[in-house]
Amino acid sequence: MNNKQSMENGNATLRGKIVFVFLCILFVMLFVKAGHVSIIRGGEYSDIANNKIYRRILIDAPRGEIRDRYGTLLAGNREAFSVEIYPGNMSSNELNQNIAHIVEILESNGEEVIDEFPIIINENQEYEFTYDKNLIQWKQLNEIPLDFTAEQAFDYIAEILASDGVIEISEGDDRTAIQSKIIEAGYYPPISITKNEFTETVKKQEWLYKYLSKYIDSEEDIYNITAKEAFAYIRKAYEIDANISDAEARKILNIRDLIRQKGYYQYQPTVIANDIQNATVAKIEENSINLRGIDIVAKSVRYYPMGNHASHILGQLGKISTQAEIEKYVQENGYSPNDIIGKTGVEKSFEDQLKGESGYTRVQVDVRGRLIETLERREPKAGDTVYLTIISELQKVAEESLAKTLKAIQTGSYYESEWGNIRMRDNQRVYSKAQSGAVVVVDIKTGDILAMASYPDYDPNLFVQGISKEDFDSLTPVNVNDPLAPKPLYNIATMTTVEPGSTFKIITGLTGIELGLSPYYQIYDKGYIKMGANTFGCWLWNQYGGSHGPENLMDALRDSCNYYFYSVATGYNYATETNLPIDIKVQDILDYATRFGLNEKSGAEIEELSGKVPSVEAKAQAKKIELKSVLMRMMKDYFEDIDSASSDYEERIDTIVSWMDENPSRSEIIRRLEELNVKAEYVNKIADLTKYSYFNLAKWQTGDSFNLSIGQGDHKYSPIQMARYVAAIANDGYLNKLNLVEKVESSDKTTMELLPKLSEKIELNNNGNLAYIRQGMEDVTDEGSASNYFRNYPIKVASKTGTAQKAGRIPAADEEAYLLENLGRFGVNRAAVLDLADELQSQDRNRLKRGVYLQRAILELNPNMTIERINQYKEKYDPFAWFVSYAPADKPEIAVVTLLFQGGHGGYGSAIARDIYAEYFNLQNVEATDNNFSFDNNIS
């Protein structure tokens, strides 16, 4: 062997040793790792493995009951049968066949299959996304231009609500803050602030991406696909037989989509029909051999045994749907996306307590999430029982009496009662539009709400399993343009704020004597006060040309004398043209209104819109917001050098609005408008609009103080706020937090939570001053506007009536039809109006309702025409009718407040109060019952 060979052999030996050592090290490392996995972390990895195999199917808990204070069941549960499908290990073709079979059985028996598939095929065989359809319907319903972006639509809604006084936008509020105020006010625009997009658009994009991302690479292409194209892709993905029509294929796709929504959790059953009939159950059982994976399950379903009874208090249920609900319940609280939750009322406010604790079935599944074996079951725990403060029998009387009163007012007929029959007609005038109202009954000592009714109402059973379109449409107002149209789903007692009328005179009078005016100080009522071009009259002057003569505080409350309260509010005796012996400012009256809770919510545990005490600053701010909204819509093409698409457009509008603080002369406004390059033909129009309709009206005037003093103007209070305020008058100045819930009891009855009663003493200069107010309210019932209604009544009642005017005309349900019907009255040629409206509509990218363009055409063709003159043939609103009271007058226990929309006269609400007091105090009428009388005056 030569040296070269020896070296090669040595190298080979060395390489062999290195490889051997390397392999030894590798085996040692693998051994150590294996030991670590199997011994040290074995339990951890075992859990992971088990969790990949075992899953829990949640079992819904029975929802907690809702009862009245004495235990009467208002919301419970009943057993109902649902149809569920388990995909299991069926092939796609077998699953499709089973779905088609079960849907055929359900439909042939008249059952409703849950349908959430977001592509529909209309009668014209056109395919459309429900997301798009819902968004268009929402925009049309709210008169929002169809091409508005989510951002534009949000700003538009905010401006409208602010100008109507529903919300107050403060300087520095961002969209999130404004959204919170909008939601708090009871409005839920389908807009995601975080994504700056319509929620329907967001849901559509998410749905399409899940289905089409495997077929289409570009997100833009996915989101721009047509409904018909998307339908074809999804139909192909689910391998539906080509011989089946698209209409029948959609039924299969609907169920497949319901299953797909569960994602990895397809081992959980998918509900496809709820609350089916016994005959349907039998039919499915007969065909069970051909319906593999289909099961009938008995479930606990919410049930309201008394139907419409207390519906606005109890609230309604529904599926999680809004972005806010998804974030709160699904993402934060671990709810399933398909869970039913409380949407309104106590059902919503006490969702956490009523929900209960879900049970579960532990199952074994394969890697695709399909069920293999059931291993364990844990029963659910029912939700807690919520006891309300209301008395069910008193609630029933309140509801029935409210409905009965409104019907009598509508027809001008008698309200028949053992306490006297009232004919609700005023000098042969009938208030036929009195179709809505509310009543609130409060324990003045505790703040407990004993009854609260709103009319019209609804049956919450309709919402339990998902309301049908037909039922939902029946609950929507016929005239969506009319804010006072009957709305069964709307709780007037807590969510409507209107002028209080003469019921506010209590605050004005109290403020006067609190500041030192003697309650016996007399002011001579001369009938009316002339203020510039305006005349402010007492109701007696307005109707009959009369006056009350000398009036002190108690007289003025009894007679509801406007003249007295005009004088008190301004600190000036207009009869003698001398100052009153007090220094009073309008802010003093507003401060006392605030002390009595009229600037805050009552504290009740359901949705509530806070009314608003007026303010000098708020009036100017509201005028600014209103003017900006008007100019933003009006001046789109009014500038020489820019249009509404320019970045400078809003800045110029803001410049014009900013002149309001200064209120320059008309000629100066014209000069400034010309500097802003407003077109010459529009300068005078904008100058007159801003000067006379906004700038001059923004400053607080004496007339504003007059209106404020008698409950007109910018006051906005709800019936529940008024009940709290009247209770504080009756209980010697204690402002209670109002309560709708008395206690919460656990399902096993081992624990009970009593909710606290909160109260605070109102700061008064002299608590004895309330006695003069109460005396005046007793005089109203004994000798004033309510005296006829409480003739021979067994107990003494203190009260105040109020009639508040509603400005404006009732919007037409169909503005286009109204304008076309009255074209001959507007001094324009019909053909010319139609042609110009067509032209304006074709040029406007906003695509508003046709009535808007017809109105614009009329105004343009007849320069002498105004919007007020165009609307003059529409009906006027009738007044709001308030009645506030408490009883017994000498030892008050409960307060009753009623509000009747377009009810004519506040006294009509006394019929409701009489029945409620009679029920509560168990009164018996021992007098003759043939005392019929009619309403013969208009004391407000």
Side-chain angles (χ1 to χ4, degrees), residues 635-654:
M635 298 186 69
K636 294 177 187 288
D637 57 357
Y638 279 21
F639 294 99
E640 295 278 5
D641 53 337
I642 64 170
D643 59 20
S644 58
S646 170
S647 58
D648 295 331
Y649 179 69
E650 184 171 359
E651 183 178 342
R652 290 195 192 180
I653 299 297
D654 287 336

Side-chain angles (χ1 to χ4, degrees), residues 280-298:
T280 308
V281 173
K283 186 72 172 178
I284 294 173
E285 293 294 346
E286 289 173 10
N287 288 270
S288 60
I289 192 171
N290 300 316
L291 292 171
R292 192 159 71 93
I294 305 296
D295 202 2
I296 305 294
V297 178

Side-chain angles (χ1 to χ4, degrees), residues 230-293:
F231 188 94
Y233 270 113
I234 300 169
R235 174 178 175 141
K236 184 177 180 181
Y238 283 126
E239 303 174 356
I240 295 179
D241 192 325
N243 295 319
I244 297 176
S245 69
D246 275 1
E248 292 301 313
R250 188 190 175 279
K251 297 176 182 179
I252 299 173
L253 292 180
N254 172 52
I255 306 301
R256 294 295 297 260
D257 188 57
L258 289 174
I259 297 170
R260 183 186 174 91
Q261 288 179 29
K262 292 184 174 294
Y264 183 74
Y265 298 95
Q266 292 180 27
Y267 57 86
Q268 293 186 356
T270 298
V271 179
I272 61 175
N274 283 308
D275 208 1
I276 63 172
Q277 307 166 69
N278 289 334
T280 308
V281 173
K283 186 72 172 178
I284 294 173
E285 293 294 346
E286 289 173 10
N287 288 270
S288 60
I289 192 171
N290 300 316
L291 292 171
R292 192 159 71 93

Side-chain angles (χ1 to χ4, degrees), residues 825-842:
R825 296 172 164 178
F826 301 145
V828 292
N829 178 272
R830 183 182 185 89
V833 168
L834 295 177
D835 288 344
L836 181 55
D838 288 340
E839 182 182 346
L840 292 171
Q841 189 168 10
S842 65

Side-chain angles (χ1 to χ4, degrees), residues 163-166 497-500 504 590 598-599 611-623 626 697-700 703-717 805:
S163 62
D164 289 346
V166 177
T497 59
V498 301
E499 298 90 334
F504 188 80
L590 301 176
L598 293 178
N599 208 40
K612 193 69 179 174
V613 172
S615 75
V616 176
E617 298 78 12
K619 180 187 178 185
Q621 183 63 24
K623 282 293 178 185
E626 183 181 349
L697 301 180
K699 184 179 179 181
W700 193 273
D704 292 317
S705 296
F706 284 174
N707 285 328
L708 174 92
S709 70
I710 63 169
Q712 293 287 165
D714 293 334
H715 294 283
K716 291 283 188 287
Y717 311 126
Q805 303 302 318

Side-chain angles (χ1 to χ4, degrees), residues 138-427:
W138 176 77
K139 285 183 175 181
Q140 289 176 335
L141 184 64
N142 292 277
E143 298 190 336
I144 295 171
L146 294 182
D147 66 344
F148 263 26
T149 64
E151 185 177 357
Q152 289 172 315
F154 183 85
D155 292 343
Y156 178 86
I157 293 169
E159 287 177 5
I160 294 297
L161 293 178
S163 62
D164 289 346
V166 177
I167 64 171
E168 184 175 333
I169 300 176
S170 305
E171 192 172 342
D173 279 353
D174 59 14
R175 281 193 171 85
T176 302
I178 296 172
Q179 183 191 44
S180 297
K181 294 180 179 181
I182 291 174
I183 292 174
E184 188 178 4
Y187 295 83
Y188 303 91
I191 298 171
S192 170
I193 295 300
T194 56
K195 297 184 178 180
N196 205 24
E197 186 57 90
F198 293 109
T199 52
E200 291 293 328
T201 302
V202 173
K203 289 190 288 187
K204 175 184 174 182
Q205 292 176 347
E206 290 175 347
W207 187 82
L208 285 172
Y209 188 82
K210 287 179 181 177
Y211 272 112
L212 304 181
S213 57
K214 66 169 69 174
Y215 306 110
I216 304 174
D217 294 332
S218 168
E219 283 192 22
E220 183 177 355
D221 291 340
I222 292 174
Y223 300 152
N224 290 326
I225 196 170
T226 67
K228 187 171 185 177
E229 291 169 341
F231 188 94
Y233 270 113
I234 300 169
R235 174 178 175 141
K236 184 177 180 181
Y238 283 126
E239 303 174 356
I240 295 179
D241 192 325
N243 295 319
I244 297 176
S245 69
D246 275 1
E248 292 301 313
R250 188 190 175 279
K251 297 176 182 179
I252 299 173
L253 292 180
N254 172 52
I255 306 301
R256 294 295 297 260
D257 188 57
L258 289 174
I259 297 170
R260 183 186 174 91
Q261 288 179 29
K262 292 184 174 294
Y264 183 74
Y265 298 95
Q266 292 180 27
Y267 57 86
Q268 293 186 356
T270 298
V271 179
I272 61 175
N274 283 308
D275 208 1
I276 63 172
Q277 307 166 69
N278 289 334
T280 308
V281 173
K283 186 72 172 178
I284 294 173
E285 293 294 346
E286 289 173 10
N287 288 270
S288 60
I289 192 171
N290 300 316
L291 292 171
R292 192 159 71 93
I294 305 296
D295 202 2
I296 305 294
V297 178
K299 288 190 173 183
S300 175
V301 174
R302 195 47 144 188
Y303 176 58
Y304 302 91
M306 298 186 186
N308 295 35
H309 186 66
S311 57
H312 293 100
I313 297 173
L314 298 173
Q316 59 194 243
L317 300 178
K319 288 186 67 173
I320 295 172
S321 57
T322 69
Q323 187 62 34
E325 289 171 348
I326 292 171
E327 291 173 359
K328 176 179 179 180
Y329 294 110
V330 178
Q331 297 174 5
E332 296 178 15
N333 296 334
Y335 280 51
S336 164
N338 294 316
D339 276 349
I340 296 294
I341 58 170
K343 290 279 191 172
T344 62
V346 172
E347 293 279 23
K348 176 183 178 181
S349 301
F350 286 79
E351 169 67 26
D352 290 347
Q353 292 85 347
L354 293 167
K355 168 68 172 173
E357 186 178 327
S358 298
Y360 64 85
T361 300
R362 193 162 178 260
V363 298
Q364 187 178 21
V365 299
D366 64 17
V367 292
R368 295 180 63 185
R370 295 176 299 191
L371 179 66
I372 297 174
E373 182 183 3
T374 299
L375 304 173
E376 176 189 2
R377 179 181 174 91
R378 175 179 167 179
E379 296 301 324
K381 180 181 177 183
D384 297 341
T385 300
V386 174
Y387 286 86
L388 305 182
T389 57
I390 69 169
I391 302 172
S392 187
E393 285 302 314
L394 195 67
Q395 176 74 19
K396 182 180 179 182
V397 171
E399 292 171 351
E400 292 178 348
S401 186
L402 174 61
K404 182 179 172 183
T405 296
L406 288 167
K407 287 180 173 63
I409 296 173
Q410 290 170 32
T411 58
S413 57
Y414 278 101
Y415 181 100
E416 296 183 357
S417 167
E418 64 177 301
W419 308 107
N421 301 329
I422 307 172
R423 189 172 191 183
M424 296 185 170
R425 177 177 295 185
D426 170 26
N427 297 326

Side-chain angles (χ1 to χ4, degrees), residues 458-473:
Y458 66 97
D459 184 354
N461 286 303
L462 295 173
F463 291 86
V464 170
Q465 300 282 9
I467 189 167
S468 68
K469 184 180 185 303
E470 292 75 16
D471 286 334
F472 189 81
D473 288 345

